[in-house]
């Protein structure tokens, strides 16, 4: 036991991420992390806006803006954004979730000023016009066709969310509805921008090889003049507990093998229970050495594959187990095996050996997520904006280490019962229907 503690101490000290944080007068939160191990610097901005901030009849706006805000600004001509980045040795990207939107550039360290200027331009002077909306409309439609509608099993998440949430905006997908985007006016897009893309609804992270005094001067120069906006308080949406099994069917024209999907609603990622569920998820279904894979795929040859996805989010999460039955085995057969494994966790303590293996895996994950400047920048922004505790970048592993085997049993009993889940029959669409 003492050696495990020593290992944790080594992980914690080796991974200590040092940062400085402060606010500009306009409410923009700034986080600086200096690391000169490579001559690169990342400038990133995370906005506290995601799919859950949309109107139910205008879904997909936050994701649409992930694309739209690359269209151009008052000082960056349309179509020039990516050219400027690549011609200066940089890369850039953006992504959207139900809770937030994230933009970043990675440049050689001598181009920090350029990165800061570009992100300030995106915030201060975006040009949102009809040609940009029309262009990105086609881009997003193609993404939806490729990643969702024409992809085998591409609409699992959409079907799960629609059935798991009745009140909360998590009930729609991040990419949203193309009908909603088509119906939206230019004025609606402009109003969405004014409402959410504000300095006091964002965090700026600068991480990598830079001179701190100079960075602060540039941050003040480019972001300081941006006016503060009025941040609308987040609405709370409560879901009634699931007390009896939700049964649903989804017909997918792109598949030939039915898929089992069982989904449990879980608490906010900020809660201790969510972290316990992370351990349970890893134990049951993470990789080929997990309980379910060994039993259902390797030993019993019941499935082509089995796995799980944990969706940890700001308000609620989901633990989704999926599997493809093989031969004469059915979805019902697989569900029985899953329930048996969950019942074991609910009844018996997992072994000390398995428990230690889990801890080692989470230590490894912790090291890996902070192994790159991109990972550190993303984590700093996320822990500040969504968890309201930036130092979790250094201490979250200690939370995982403080979880006991008894808590694992207790939390499995609290959330993973058959009457608390959705069972989705995800089946081939029959063209003869």
């Amino acid at each position: 036991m003492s050696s495990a503690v020593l290992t944790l101490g080594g992980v914690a000290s080796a991974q200590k991420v040092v940062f400085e944080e402060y606010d500009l007068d306009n409410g923009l939160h700034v986080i600086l992390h200096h690391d000169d191990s490579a001559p690169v610097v990342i400038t990133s901005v995370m906005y506290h806006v995601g799919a859950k901030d949309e109107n139910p009849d205008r879904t997909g706006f936050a994701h649409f803006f992930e694309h739209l805000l690359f269209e151009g600004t008052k000082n960056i001509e349309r179509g020039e954004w990516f050219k400027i980045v690549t011609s200066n040795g940089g890369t850039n990207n953006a992504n959207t979730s139900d809770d937030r939107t994230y933009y970043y550039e990675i440049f050689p360290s001598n181009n920090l000023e350029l990165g800061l200027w570009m992100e300030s331009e995106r915030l201060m002077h975006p040009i949102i016009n009809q040609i940009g909306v029309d262009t990105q409309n086609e881009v997003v439609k193609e993404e939806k066709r490729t990643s969702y509608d024409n992809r085998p099993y591409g609409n699992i998440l959409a079907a799960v969310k629609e059935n798991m949430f009745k009140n909360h905006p998590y009930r729609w997908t991040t990419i949203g509805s193309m009908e909603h985007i088509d119906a939206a006016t230019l004025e609606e897009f402009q109003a969405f921008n004014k409402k959410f893309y504000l300095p006091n609804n964002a965090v700026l992270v600068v991480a990598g090889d830079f001179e701190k005094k100079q960075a602060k001067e540039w941050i003040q120069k480019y972001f300081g003049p941006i006016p503060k906006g009025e941040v609308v308080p987040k609405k709370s949406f409560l879901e009634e507990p699931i007390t009896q099994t939700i049964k649903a069917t989804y017909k997918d024209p792109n598949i030939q093998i039915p898929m089992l999907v069982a989904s449990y609603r879980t608490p906010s990622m900020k809660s201790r229970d969510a972290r316990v569920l992370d351990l349970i998820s890893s134990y049951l279904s993470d990789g080929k050495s997990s309980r379910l894979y060994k039993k259902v795929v390797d030993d019993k040859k019941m499935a082509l594959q089995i796995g799980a996805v944990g969706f940890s989010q700001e308000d609620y999460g989901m633990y989704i187990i999926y599997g493809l039955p093989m031969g004469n085995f059915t979805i019902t057969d697989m569900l029985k095996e899953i329930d048996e494994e969950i019942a074991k966790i609910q009844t018996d303590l997992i072994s000390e050996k398995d428990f230690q293996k889990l801890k080692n895996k989470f230590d490894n994950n912790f090291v890996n997520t902070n192994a790159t400047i991109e990972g550190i920048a993303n984590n700093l922004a996320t822990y500040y904006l969504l968890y309201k505790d930036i130092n979790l970048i250094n201490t979250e592993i200690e939370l995982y280490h403080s979880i006991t085997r008894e808590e694992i049993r207790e939390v499995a009993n609290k959330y993973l019962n058959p009457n608390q889940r959705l069972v989705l029959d995800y089946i081939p669409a029959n063209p003869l229907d």
Side-chain angles (χ1 to χ4, degrees):
M1 217 39 183
S2 58
S3 63
V5 175
L6 287 172
T7 306
L8 170 62
V11 168
S13 61
Q15 284 295 299
K16 177 81 172 162
V17 175
V18 178
F19 56 86
E20 180 183 343
E21 56 181 322
Y22 63 97
D23 287 317
L24 299 187
D25 290 343
N26 58 17
L28 179 70
H29 195 71
V30 180
I31 302 171
L32 306 177
H33 166 68
H34 181 260
D35 177 351
D36 57 8
S37 57
V40 295
V41 66
I42 180 166
T43 52
S44 68
V45 180
M46 187 177 283
Y47 295 91
H48 204 175
V49 56
K52 74 158 181 258
D53 300 295
E54 298 158 353
N55 292 328
D57 58 353
R58 286 292 182 268
T59 63
F61 263 48
H63 172 261
F64 196 82
F65 265 79
E66 175 202 315
H67 293 262
L68 192 59
L69 291 183
F70 282 103
E71 271 289 310
T73 74
K74 186 175 160 188
N75 298 303
I76 299 173
E77 284 186 27
R78 189 167 177 272
E80 290 298 305
W81 187 285
F82 297 104
K83 291 179 191 170
I84 293 170
V85 172
T86 53
S87 65
N88 284 279
T91 58
N92 68 166
N93 214 330
N95 53 67
T96 315
S97 77
D98 290 351
D99 298 317
R100 93 297 176 271
T101 308
Y102 187 57
Y103 299 89
Y104 65 91
E105 285 77 35
I106 305 168
F107 278 117
S109 48
N110 61 346
N111 272 329
L112 171 61
E113 185 178 12
L114 176 62
L116 290 169
W117 172 71
M118 291 183 81
E119 281 304 332
S120 72
E121 273 291 303
R122 194 200 305 274
L123 180 51
M124 193 175 192
H125 298 128
I127 289 181
I128 295 167
N129 57 20
Q130 199 59 53
I131 187 169
V133 168
D134 292 344
T135 302
Q136 295 309 321
N137 188 308
E138 287 308 312
V139 172
V140 172
K141 277 181 178 166
E142 182 56 29
E143 182 183 342
K144 190 168 187 298
R145 282 191 288 267
T146 308
S147 300
Y148 298 85
D149 299 339
N150 299 333
R151 186 179 182 177
Y153 308 101
N155 277 308
I156 286 174
L157 191 55
V160 168
K161 293 177 81 171
E162 185 185 352
N163 286 287
M164 291 289 285
F165 297 100
K166 298 303 172 196
N167 300 318
H168 199 288
Y170 287 164
R171 65 185 182 272
W172 56 77
T173 56
T174 310
I175 202 163
S177 157
M178 295 306 99
E179 289 73 22
H180 292 174
I181 297 292
D182 285 344
T185 64
L186 179 61
E187 290 72 27
E188 285 177 291
F189 287 111
Q190 290 167 339
F192 193 83
N193 183 70
K194 279 184 186 157
K195 185 175 181 182
F196 293 110
Y197 298 86
L198 309 167
N200 44 322
N201 195 41
V203 55
L204 165 69
V205 178
V206 178
D209 183 17
F210 62 93
E211 202 276 306
K212 219 176 242 189
K213 183 171 177 289
Q214 178 67 81
K216 287 181 177 179
E217 286 172 13
W218 283 331
I219 290 166
Q220 183 57 43
K221 176 181 175 182
Y222 294 115
F223 288 91
I226 301 172
K228 189 173 195 167
E230 186 185 340
V231 175
V232 179
K234 298 276 179 191
K235 290 182 186 171
S236 291
F237 298 91
L238 290 176
E239 289 288 340
E240 291 296 318
I242 299 169
T243 55
Q244 58 183 43
T245 308
I246 302 166
K247 293 194 172 171
T249 302
Y250 184 89
K251 295 182 178 181
D252 186 334
N254 303 307
I255 65 170
Q256 293 168 335
I257 300 170
M259 178 174 269
L260 160 72
V261 183
S263 179
Y264 303 82
R265 195 191 300 143
T266 56
S268 162
M269 62 190 185
K270 294 178 274 192
S271 67
R272 184 174 178 87
D273 281 1
R275 294 178 171 98
V276 179
L277 283 158
D278 287 343
L279 290 178
I280 293 171
S281 167
S282 183
Y283 174 75
L284 276 178
S285 50
D286 182 15
K288 295 190 174 181
S289 64
S290 66
R291 305 294 292 182
L292 286 175
Y293 193 94
K294 283 202 292 195
K295 181 182 183 183
V296 178
V297 178
D298 285 349
D299 297 346
K300 299 204 169 183
K301 308 281 190 286
M302 292 176 74
L304 291 167
Q305 69 176 91
I306 194 161
V309 184
F311 275 84
S312 293
Q313 294 182 286
E314 195 174 12
D315 298 341
Y316 291 99
M318 292 179 293
Y319 174 48
I320 306 170
I321 303 176
Y322 60 88
L324 292 172
M326 193 163 72
N328 295 323
F329 291 106
T330 64
I331 282 170
T332 309
D333 296 331
M334 289 176 65
L335 200 56
K336 180 172 170 284
E337 300 296 333
I338 289 166
D339 286 344
E340 278 181 15
E341 287 307 310
I342 291 173
K344 284 179 192 172
I345 303 176
Q346 292 172 328
T347 312
D348 305 319
L349 297 178
I350 70 170
S351 73
E352 277 286 4
K353 184 181 173 187
D354 284 337
F355 190 43
Q356 190 56 52
K357 187 173 146 193
L358 268 182
K359 286 184 175 183
N360 293 344
K361 186 181 275 191
F362 275 71
D363 279 352
N364 195 37
N365 292 346
F366 173 71
V367 170
N368 288 340
T369 58
N370 287 338
T372 64
I373 287 294
E374 298 99 298
I376 288 172
N378 183 29
N379 284 342
L380 286 168
T382 301
Y383 284 128
Y384 168 75
L385 199 75
L386 301 184
Y387 287 83
K388 305 291 185 276
D389 183 358
I390 190 171
N391 202 44
L392 281 170
I393 195 164
N394 293 312
T395 60
E396 190 172 37
I397 192 65
E398 293 164 21
L399 285 174
Y400 283 106
H401 271 265
S402 71
I403 292 166
T404 64
R405 294 187 299 152
E406 287 76 12
E407 272 183 286
I408 287 175
R409 181 172 63 189
E410 182 188 316
V411 168
N413 275 295
K414 191 171 173 183
Y415 297 101
L416 302 183
N417 297 301
N419 66 325
Q420 292 173 293
R421 69 185 174 198
L422 162 71
V423 176
L424 175 71
D425 284 333
Y426 196 94
I427 59 176
N430 185 342
L432 300 176
D433 275 0

